[in-house]
Amino acid sequence: MENSTIRKSKVWSPEKIDEIQEKAELGRYRIRGQATKRQDLPSFDDLVFTPAGLSRVALEGYREKCDTRVVIGEGRVKRPLVLETPIMVAGMSFGAINSNAKKALGIAATRCGISTCTGDGGMHPVEREASEKLVYQLLPSRYGLNPYDLKRADAVEIVVSQGAKPGTGGTLLGQKVSEEVANMRDLPLGVDQRSPCRHPDWMGPDDLGVKIDQIRIATNYEVPIFIKIGAGRVYDDTKLAAKAGADAIVIDGMEGGTAASPEIQLDHTGIPTIAAVVEAAEALHEIGMKDEIKLIIGGGISNGADAAKAIALGADVVYIGTAMLVALNCNKSIYVEDYKALGTEPSACHHCHTGKCPVGIATQDPALMARLDPDEAADRVENYMNSLTMEMQIFARSCGKSRVVDLDPTDLRSLTWNTSMITGVPIVGMGTTRNPYWADYHHATGQHEFVAK
Amino acid sequence: MESVKDQLVINSNETSQEKLNELIVDAAKKGIKEVVIKHPQARHNLGVGITDPIHLVYEGDVGYYACSMSDHISAEVHGNAGWAIGENLMSGEIVVEGNAASSTAASMRGGTVVVKGSSGARTGIGLKGGTLIIGGNVGYMTGFMMQKGKMIICGNAGKALGDSMYAGTIYIAGDIAELGNGAEIVDLPKAEYEEIKHTLESYGMKAPASFKKIVCNGLLHNFNKKEFGVWKTVL
Amino acid sequence: MCGIGGLIYKSSVHEKKTGEIVIKMLESLSRRGPDSTGIALLHPKEENHLYLDVNYDKEGNGEKVLHLLTEFSTVLRSSDHGNYVRAVIKNVEDETLLIHAINNIDKDVSVASYGEQLEVLKFLGGAENLESQFNISDYNGRVAIGHTRMATESKVDISHSQPLSCHTGKDLTIIHNGHITNYIKLRSKYEKKGYKFITGNDSEVIAVYLVDQMKAGLDLKEAMELSLQELGGSFSYIAITPEKVGLAKEPFGMKPMVIAETDDFVAFASESMAITNGFGKNLNVFEPGSEEVMIWNL
C-alpha cells in the first residue's frame, strides 16, 4: 500500500495546479468552448413532477390532444412569431459554427415549425434559405448587420449579453476567422476577434427604448423584438427590458454554451438557469406583464424534462443551443484519433475555440466540414426536436394538462432544500401541512418547533 | 393619373413618428426625389431603414438615430443631431450643419457622414466602412474598435482615440488627449493630405494646415504575451 | 436610468417661464423615466425663510408632519399632497432638531430637502402629475432643474425619486442619470462618518459625497472634479446650490447630456428633443465631453 501516503489536496487539486502552470506558460487566461464544467450547480434534475392520480385526471398519450404552440408578439406586432413547439434554436454564429451546421439546424427547425437564430456575425444566405423562421441577432459588434437582412428576419433579438459570459463581448480566435468569416464581419483575416461588451449606440434601458423604436420602424412594426440578457441581476434586468418595450425577454443561464470564452468566466459568472427563470417570471408577474411578454429561457436545457420544468416555473419557450449541436454529432465517438490529437476524447470535448472540431461543426476547415452532411444531420436534429416535444407532452398530459404552457409551479416538488429555496417549490413530502397529527404529542417534536430551535 | 412630384413636404409637428417614416419610405419607393421635413423638433428615429434613393432635408434638429440603418440616401440636417446619426448607414451621404451628440455614425458600413460642428463620445465607434468627417472636436473613445473606412477630424480628440481599432484610418488635425490602445501615429503622405483637403473643400470646409494619421499597430490582433504589455499601459 | 432637463437664467432679469419650460422638457423625457418626476427650484433669499419638503408613504403621516411644523415654527405656507408635504416656514430655532424630529415621526417619513432658497418637489408618474400637484408652471425664478426616473435597482416611491439631498446638506441637491457602482462601499464609509442615508437609491451618495467634501473645505467645482475619480460607474449629474449649478460627466461618456447656451440662459437635457420641446424652437446644442465638470455661477 505504498500509494496510501499520497494525498491530493482539495485546495491545490491537480486541476488547479495544471491551471496555474498553464497560465504561467501562456501568459494569459485559458480560453475554451462549450460551457461551465462545474459539478455543483443546482439543476432542473432537483425537481420532480407531481402527476395526476385521483385528485386530478391524466390525459392519454398519443390520443388526447396536448397543444404545444406558442405565439410571440401576439397583439403587439403585425407578424407574430408562431412556434409549433416551445423550443427555439439558440443563437450560434456563422463563424462559431459553419454553414453546414447552420443549414442542418435550419432544415430541422423548419420541419418542426420552430425558429433558428443567426447569432453574432450576420445572416448567412444558407441559413436564411434553410430556416423558415429566423431570428436575427443585433449585437454590440454589429457584424454583418444591414437593413436588408433586418427586414428579412422573422424576429429581431437585441443581445445585451450571453449566459456563458455575461458582462463581456464575444470571442472568436483567429484560427476560425477564415476569409468568408472575415468578409462577413469586416475584419482582417485571422485576427483574434473580441467583440465589445456593450452596444455602441445605447448605454442603458432609457436609451434602449429609443433603440427598440428604431428597430420597429426599420422593420415596419412587423416582427417581434426580443432582448437577450445573460443571467445576472435577472429580476431588475427583466423589469427594465419590459419597460424598454421588448416583446419577449430571453434570459440565458450560466450553463449556456459558447464557442470561446475565458474558462474562468464560464465557471464564475452568472446564475444558474433554474434560478434565473424564477426571478424573471416573478419580475414579469410583478409588473403585470407576464401574459403579454414572453419569457424565453436558455442555458443547459437538454431534454423534455428540463424544458417542461422551465415552463412550469414560468418560461414560455426554451432556448436550446449546445444540445442541438450534440444532436448534430458534437462529442460523438467518431474520428476518435482527431479528438486525441486535440488532447481530449468524445463526450469531454470543449475545443470549439480551436476551429479543429473533429465532427465538422465548429470549424471552417473545408476538410473537417465535409464530415458533416447537412441533410443527414438535419434528420438527427429533427428527431431530437420531436422527441423533446413528446417528452414535454408526457409531463403535461401526466399532470392532466392539455397544453404544455399550462404547467405551473404547483405541478412540481423539489428534491433538495437548495432547489426548494431557489424556486419556492415545496420540498417533496410537503403535500400536507407541516402540522402532523403527532406534533402535539409529548413524545415528539413537530418540524416547525424543530426548525424554531 | 397623378404624376410623381419631385418634392414632398412633411410637417413633423402634425405627423406621428410611425406615419412620418411611412411617408418617407413611400416617397422613396415612388421615386420622389426630395422630402423636406419641417419642424423635426429633435425627434428620434427620423428616416430610419430607408433603402431606396431619396434626398432628405431636415429643417431643424434631429434626435437619436436619424438616417440610421439606411442605404442609398442623402440627407441635410439644418441643425444639430442626437445620438447615433447615420448608425449602420450602408451608402449615401449625410451632412449635419450643427453639432452631433454621441455615437455618431456608429457601425457605419459605407457612404459619408459629415458633421460640420463637433461630435461627442464614441464618434465613429465600430466603423465598418465609409468616411466620417467632423469639422470640430470629438469625444472619448472615438474610433473604438474601428474595422474599416476613414475618419477625418478637424479639431481635437478626447481620450482613447482609435482604441482597439482593427484597421481603417483616422486623420486628425488637432490635439489628441490620449491615443488609444493599439493605435499609432504614422507619417502622412502628401498625396493623402491633398485628398483630405479636396474632400473637405467639397463640403465647403476649410482644411487645417496639417493632419496626423492614425492606424492600427496590430499589437492587439492576436492573444499572446506581447498583448499584456500593451494592456499594462492602461491598466 | 433617467432623464434630466434644466434651465438656468444668467441674471435675475430674464425671460421667465422657467417652470413652464422645464415641465415641457420633462414631458418629452417621460420615456426615459416613467416612474416618477421631480424638480428643484431656486427661490430668492428671504430673511428667516426655510423651504421644507418631506416624503412619506403611510396615510395620516402627512398630518403628523404638518402638526410638527406648527410646533417648531411659524408655517407660512404648507400643503399635503398625499405622500409629499411642501412647506415654507419661519422662525425655526433649531433646524437640526426639526429635521431629526420629522425623520423620527415614522419609518416612511423623511425630509427630502430643506433650504433657505432651494425647494425640491417630486411626485410619482410623469411631469403632468408634478404639474397638477405643485403648479410648477407658475414658477418664474432663476433655476429649475428636473428629473424623470426609470428605477433600476431601488424602490419606486417618492423618497427614492430625484432630486436627492443629504440630510445634513442644507440648500444642496443633486440630479443623477446613471448608476454609482461603488455605492455600497461609499455608503458604509459615510455612515461611519455619521451621515444618515434616507433611501436605498445609489444616487443619494452623490449628495452626501459633495456635502462631505464641501465640509472639508472644497468648493463645489473642486468637489465635483474629485467625484469624477472617486465615484464609480456611469453618470451625468447636476448639483444645485443657491450660488452655483454644476454638471459632471464621468470619464466613459456613457450618459447623455446636451447643453444650449445663450446670453440669457443655459439649458441642458438628456436629449435635445427636451430642449426643443421646452423652448418651442431649435437652439444650438452640443454634448459636453466626458470626464468634465462645468459650473455656472448664479
Side-chain angles (χ1 to χ4, degrees), chain B residues 138-140 156-161 172 174-180, chain C residues 291:
Chain B
V138 293
Y140 171 71
N156 307 324
K159 287 184 180 173
L161 178 68
I172 177 163
D175 299 329
I176 303 165
E178 185 188 271
L179 201 58
Chain C
E291 208 170 351

Side-chain angles (χ1 to χ4, degrees), chain A residues 25 141-142 145-148 151 185-186 190 192 194 200-201 203 207 210-211 213-214 217 221, chain B residues 18 21 45 49 65 68-69 71 87-88 103 109 122 128 145 147-148 166 220-223 225 231:
Chain A
E25 175 68 26
S141 63
R142 307 287 166 86
L145 180 67
N146 69 71
Y148 302 101
K151 289 171 202 283
R185 301 189 184 206
D186 296 294
D192 287 341
R194 274 159 296 162
D201 52 358
M203 295 287 138
D207 306 321
V210 187
K211 182 75 195 171
D213 275 354
Q214 181 213 20
I217 293 171
Y221 301 84
Chain B
E18 191 175 356
N21 220 66
N45 293 316
Y65 296 115
S68 61
M69 207 60 81
D71 199 1
E87 180 253 346
N88 219 83
S103 301
R109 300 170 64 88
R122 299 180 298 281
K128 291 170 173 57
M145 286 205 183
Q147 294 172 235
K148 275 181 185 171
Y166 287 104
L220 290 174
H221 270 183
N222 291 91
F223 271 103
K225 285 182 186 173
W231 276 1

Side-chain angles (χ1 to χ4, degrees), chain B residues 4-87:
Chain B
V4 177
K5 288 180 202 145
D6 278 351
Q7 195 195 51
L8 172 73
V9 179
I10 307 173
N11 188 341
S12 166
N13 268 341
E14 297 157 5
T15 319
S16 73
Q17 191 177 43
E18 191 175 356
K19 185 76 188 158
L20 193 143
N21 220 66
E22 218 176 279
L23 288 171
I24 298 174
V25 170
D26 273 358
K29 270 198 191 122
K30 281 184 196 150
I32 292 176
K33 289 201 180 86
E34 184 176 285
V35 176
V36 178
I37 296 105
K38 290 189 178 293
H39 309 295
Q41 303 174 86
R43 284 166 65 177
H44 301 319
N45 293 316
L46 295 166
V48 164
I50 316 290
T51 48
D52 292 303
I54 193 144
H55 185 70
L56 303 168
V57 181
Y58 292 99
E59 294 189 342
D61 291 1
V62 295
Y64 284 25
Y65 296 115
C67 311
S68 61
M69 207 60 81
S70 292
D71 199 1
H72 310 301
I73 61 154
S74 61
E76 313 163 20
V77 177
H78 297 280
N80 306 295
W83 275 29
I85 185 168
E87 180 253 346

Side-chain angles (χ1 to χ4, degrees), chain A residues 147-170:
Chain A
Y148 302 101
D149 287 344
L150 196 64
K151 289 171 202 283
R152 261 198 290 271
D154 301 293
V156 179
E157 178 170 290
I158 299 177
V159 179
V160 177
S161 56
Q162 191 180 335
K165 44 184 171 180
T168 58

Side-chain angles (χ1 to χ4, degrees), chain A residues 32 36 60 73 105 112 174-175 198 221 275 339 381 403:
Chain A
R32 67 165 174 83
T36 177
E60 200 63 71
L105 293 174
C112 296
Q175 52 265 38
R198 53 177 196 254
Y221 301 84
Y339 282 98
V381 176
R403 294 189 304 182

Side-chain angles (χ1 to χ4, degrees), chain A residues 36-297:
Chain A
T36 177
K37 296 204 178 189
R38 285 184 81 123
Q39 306 275 334
D40 55 353
L41 299 180
S43 83
F44 289 111
D45 288 343
D46 300 334
L47 295 173
V48 287
F49 280 100
T50 51
L54 288 178
S55 63
R56 291 182 184 186
V57 185
L59 301 184
E60 200 63 71
Y62 303 113
R63 295 171 185 85
E64 285 171 325
K65 192 174 150 53
C66 181
D67 190 14
T68 55
R69 179 184 272 229
V70 183
V71 184
I72 300 175
E74 202 167 20
R76 292 173 66 96
V77 296
K78 293 178 190 166
R79 192 152 57 87
L81 184 67
V82 180
L83 303 168
E84 294 305 331
T85 187
I87 302 167
M88 298 169 83
V89 179
M92 292 176 281
S93 74
F94 169 73
I97 61 175
N98 57 45
S99 52
N100 283 352
K102 281 273 179 199
K103 186 178 175 188
L105 293 174
I107 293 171
T110 302
R111 288 187 200 149
C112 296
I114 64 171
S115 65
T116 64
C117 177
T118 60
D120 199 351
M123 187 187 281
H124 197 285
V126 165
E127 183 175 27
R128 178 63 281 190
E129 202 194 319
S131 181
E132 195 195 318
K133 295 168 186 173
L134 183 56
V135 180
Y136 191 38
Q137 276 193 343
L138 189 119
L139 299 105
S141 63
R142 307 287 166 86
Y143 295 132
L145 180 67
N146 69 71
Y148 302 101
D149 287 344
L150 196 64
K151 289 171 202 283
R152 261 198 290 271
D154 301 293
V156 179
E157 178 170 290
I158 299 177
V159 179
V160 177
S161 56
Q162 191 180 335
K165 44 184 171 180
T168 58
T171 307
L172 189 71
L173 294 188
Q175 52 265 38
K176 286 173 88 171
V177 183
S178 68
E179 204 169 338
E180 192 183 10
V181 173
N183 282 339
M184 271 184 76
R185 301 189 184 206
D186 296 294
L187 286 170
L189 192 70
V191 300
D192 287 341
Q193 167 241 300
R194 274 159 296 162
S195 314
C197 70
R198 53 177 196 254
H199 281 256
D201 52 358
W202 62 267
M203 295 287 138
D206 35 19
D207 306 321
L208 176 56
V210 187
K211 182 75 195 171
I212 290 178
D213 275 354
Q214 181 213 20
I215 303 301
R216 289 219 191 276
I217 293 171
T219 53
N220 196 25
Y221 301 84
E222 281 187 11
V223 298
I225 296 176
F226 313 164
I227 295 177
K228 175 179 176 175
I229 311 164
R233 298 165 176 261
V234 178
Y235 180 75
D236 291 323
D237 287 349
T238 305
K239 278 196 198 173
L240 289 167
K243 276 186 195 172
D247 300 309
I249 297 168
V250 184
I251 302 290
D252 196 12
M254 77 176 285
E255 298 95 320
T258 172
S261 166
E263 184 176 51
I264 200 147
Q265 206 176 4
L266 291 173
D267 289 345
H268 300 278
T269 53
I271 67 166
T273 309
I274 187 172
V277 61
V278 174
E279 277 195 49
E282 191 59 34
L284 287 175
H285 269 297
E286 195 181 296
I287 56 172
M289 298 189 88
K290 183 70 188 78
D291 296 325
E292 197 180 339
I293 296 178
K294 297 293 180 228
L295 179 61
I296 306 167
I297 289 287

